[in-house]
Amino acid sequence: MASGQLVLTVLMGVFLVGIAAFLSRVEDWRTYTPLASGGGGYGEAGGHVHREKPAGIVRWLTTVDHKDIGILYGTYGVIAFAVGGLMAFLIRMQLITPSGAIVGNGFYNAIMTSHGITMLFLFGTPIIAAFSNYFIPLLIGADDMAFPRINAIAFWLLPPGALLIWAGFFLPGMTGAQTSWTMYTPLSVEQANAGVDLMLLGLHLTGVSATMGAINFIATIFTERDDEVTWANLDIFSWTILTQSALILFAFPLLGSAIVMLLLDRNLATTFYAVGEGGGPILWQHLFWFFGHPEVYILVLPPMGIVSYVLPKFSGRKLFGFKFVVYSTLAIGVLSFGVWAHHMFTTGIDPRLRASFMAVSLAIAIPSAVKTFNWITTMWNGRLRLTTPMLFCIGFISNFILGGVTGVFLASVPVDQVLHDTYYVVGHFHYIVMGAIGFAVFAGVYYWFPIFTGRMYQRTLGKAHFWLSMVGTNITFFAMLFLGYLGMPRRYATYDFNEAIAPLDMVTLSHQAASLGAILLLVGQVIFVWNLLSSWLEAPKVEDPDPWDLKETDQHGREFQWHERRTATALADGGEEEEAVTDGGEVVDDDDATERADD
């Protein structure tokens, strides 16, 4: 029986390889023109047919245009952000009172699990892909991605992945997975819930999607650059996307393999993670965190690239120490694969191993600090313009410093043994994920808003979004750091414990402060979504192809040069353009400081 299954598996593998070989010969994957429309076959130049895109829903279902796919990624990311954010809000409302305010323990565990997975896999990676899909070809002078069809396939794997991850909440007879986002064994093996299997399959799809996208970005940046774009003048955002793609290429397949073994343990009684057999539960932790810590940098490197790209635009000068920012990006990419066991300092691993991982975990803070000092120096004596994108860049830097410094403490073995699995870890991580990554995403959205909409957002709402997000972030996550010092464990649905464990009044007050910050965050994000949609639909067209006045400071990027050509073409075709006030403001020179007032 086993030999028959093995033969069948081999035959299926040969069959799939044959299909791949056949497709590679009959299809030109470097163009998105179908063969029936004049595309070249194997050994022929690809034929290009210039024709109008189909209208309506057909356009979005069939598009292979990198700009359209970028908008699809962005829409998907905003929806996932809303879902994950509402889950986080429910978590904070639950913890207002020690005995739990609104949901039961099981449902709390489910939304806590889904919140983490949604924000990391359904929002974090796709929202970065939205920027990179839209702007990387424009920044490097390419016509499109290297493999447009694969680009489209990578996106369309994500919606079914999201449905599988959330399936436990809306399919009858199921509940959401209650494994936490880390899916530690043996809990994730023994939990008898089909929602866990669906979640794992959904994660597998998102991993395949990310890997396909990474291969595409690497091929695009290496082979599709304009002749004028060399490695020496490649923009910093493209450098970070290239590094991120390399990390994805090495990290995500490992997660996929670990998930397959977990599914086999759950459904076919294998013993990969069995206690006393196979690799044991600690094998899962090694495999997961070998992926998991590079994943943090997969998420944070492109936002660092956005800040490094946008910040100089409103500082009136070029990025200080450009080469060192590039080198620090590459250093983070290499070092990120040598720090995974700092998540496992309390598991009883050899003290010599702990010391080596502590050293590397402390060392990886150095290239991050290099970037931080370069950002600060870029602003030093610059002609600052406090536009909404600039405010979010400054907010990114301050939150990143707080998140980074608290991470340095956790990299120390004795400190980590005290604070491990407390709310201190939650506060540190969320300062990076929301306070840094989220702020950089908002900076990118506002900065490039005139390009992908042709309109300008409402300035007052943009600044209200920033201040509510900044205040809410620091109230919520600083309260979590304080909870960690009080000894409050993470992932608890209630905390009505004995006073001997921790002062209950202070714990309750800190949770309530964190929940107040969550309310401010929610209001800020509602304003953001309203501003995004209303401005996109109703704001007047931006007539000026240089809405940020970047030519004055020699900061006019290739994407705005493309936007200028597009605007000129639209005007030549007789399109009507309405003038809109930009968020640029007026430069005011002063002896002590020079800043841009845009009120």
Side-chain angles (χ1 to χ4, degrees), residues 155-229:
F155 169 77
W156 286 109
L157 288 176
L158 288 175
L163 292 177
L164 287 170
I165 289 170
W166 298 330
F169 290 101
F170 53 80
L171 289 182
M174 288 190 196
T175 59
Q178 300 177 34
T179 61
S180 177
W181 78 276
T182 55
M183 298 164 282
Y184 276 0
T185 56
L187 175 63
S188 57
V189 174
E190 298 172 355
Q191 191 174 118
N193 177 8
V196 178
D197 296 302
L198 295 180
M199 178 198 71
L200 293 172
L201 291 171
L203 279 177
H204 205 54
L205 280 182
T206 63
V208 173
S209 168
T211 306
M212 294 173 70
I215 295 170
N216 211 349
F217 283 119
I218 292 172
T220 300
I221 294 173
F222 267 89
T223 66
E224 299 296 319
R225 298 194 315 275
D226 188 84
D227 292 339
E228 298 177 357
V229 181

Side-chain angles (χ1 to χ4, degrees), residues 70 103 141 161 212 269 272 293 300 321 346 396 413 433 441 567:
V103 298
M212 294 173 70
F272 292 109
H293 206 83
V300 81
T346 60
F396 169 96
V413 173
V433 174
V441 167
T567 303

Side-chain angles (χ1 to χ4, degrees), residues 59 64 78 85 123 129 182 202 221 240 255 257 300 304 306 320 338 366 391 396 419 473 511 572 585-586:
R59 167 189 172 182
V64 290
V78 170
F123 165 70
T182 55
I221 294 173
T240 56
L255 175 67
S257 302
V300 81
M304 286 177 170
I306 292 174
F320 179 83
I366 296 173
L391 288 173
F396 169 96
L419 296 175
T473 292
H511 272 298
E586 181 180 355

Side-chain angles (χ1 to χ4, degrees), residues 482-483 486-487 497-510:
F482 187 65
L483 280 167
L486 291 174
F497 41 63
N498 192 297
E499 288 280 352
I501 300 176
L504 186 58
D505 289 343
M506 293 184 68
V507 171
T508 303
L509 184 61
S510 299

Side-chain angles (χ1 to χ4, degrees), residues 438-511:
F439 274 52
V441 167
F442 294 138
V445 168
Y446 285 116
Y447 175 67
W448 282 311
F449 194 84
I451 288 185
F452 56 75
T453 67
R455 306 170 190 271
M456 183 57 72
Y457 59 86
Q458 300 175 59
R459 295 176 295 161
T460 303
L461 292 183
K463 292 183 177 178
H465 174 215
F466 167 75
W467 286 112
L468 285 168
S469 298
M470 189 67 181
V471 174
T473 292
N474 282 277
I475 290 176
T476 299
F477 304 131
F478 196 85
M480 290 183 180
L481 295 176
F482 187 65
L483 280 167
Y485 282 123
L486 291 174
M488 173 69 199
R490 64 194 296 193
R491 304 187 180 117
Y492 274 42
T494 62
Y495 51 96
D496 194 6
F497 41 63
N498 192 297
E499 288 280 352
I501 300 176
L504 186 58
D505 289 343
M506 293 184 68
V507 171
T508 303
L509 184 61
S510 299
H511 272 298

Side-chain angles (χ1 to χ4, degrees), residues 272-462:
F272 292 109
Y273 307 118
V275 178
E277 303 178 57
I282 201 170
L283 174 62
W284 170 265
Q285 294 189 39
H286 278 295
L287 294 177
F288 180 83
W289 287 117
F290 189 80
F291 149 81
H293 206 83
E295 165 69 1
V296 175
Y297 296 104
I298 286 169
L299 293 174
V300 81
L301 280 176
M304 286 177 170
I306 292 174
V307 170
S308 300
Y309 189 82
V310 174
L311 185 75
K313 309 297 185 184
F314 303 105
S315 298
R317 56 189 301 186
K318 293 182 179 179
L319 179 65
F320 179 83
F322 177 87
K323 288 185 179 180
F324 287 96
V325 177
V326 173
Y327 295 153
S328 65
T329 299
L330 299 175
I332 288 174
V334 173
L335 291 173
S336 66
F337 284 98
V339 299
W340 80 88
H342 73 222
H343 296 273
M344 303 166 61
F345 283 160
T346 60
T347 59
I349 60 177
D350 191 309
R352 292 167 295 182
L353 284 176
R354 291 191 310 192
S356 63
F357 279 104
M358 179 177 74
V360 180
S361 299
L362 292 171
I364 203 171
I366 296 173
S368 298
V370 168
K371 292 178 181 294
T372 302
F373 285 118
N374 280 330
W375 294 326
I376 294 172
T377 309
T378 300
M379 292 187 290
W380 193 267
N381 285 334
R383 303 174 70 238
L384 301 186
R385 293 187 287 162
L386 296 181
T387 61
T388 304
M390 185 63 168
L391 288 173
F392 273 106
C393 286
I394 296 171
F396 169 96
I397 295 170
S398 60
N399 291 334
F400 182 72
I401 291 172
L402 282 169
V405 169
T406 53
V408 170
F409 284 102
L410 290 175
S412 173
V413 173
V415 177
D416 182 77
Q417 288 183 328
V418 174
L419 296 175
H420 185 75
D421 263 347
T422 68
Y423 260 86
Y424 185 91
V425 180
V426 182
H428 150 69
F429 184 66
H430 281 80
Y431 259 114
I432 298 297
V433 174
M434 178 59 195
I437 297 173
F439 274 52
V441 167
F442 294 138
V445 168
Y446 285 116
Y447 175 67
W448 282 311
F449 194 84
I451 288 185
F452 56 75
T453 67
R455 306 170 190 271
M456 183 57 72
Y457 59 86
Q458 300 175 59
R459 295 176 295 161
T460 303
L461 292 183

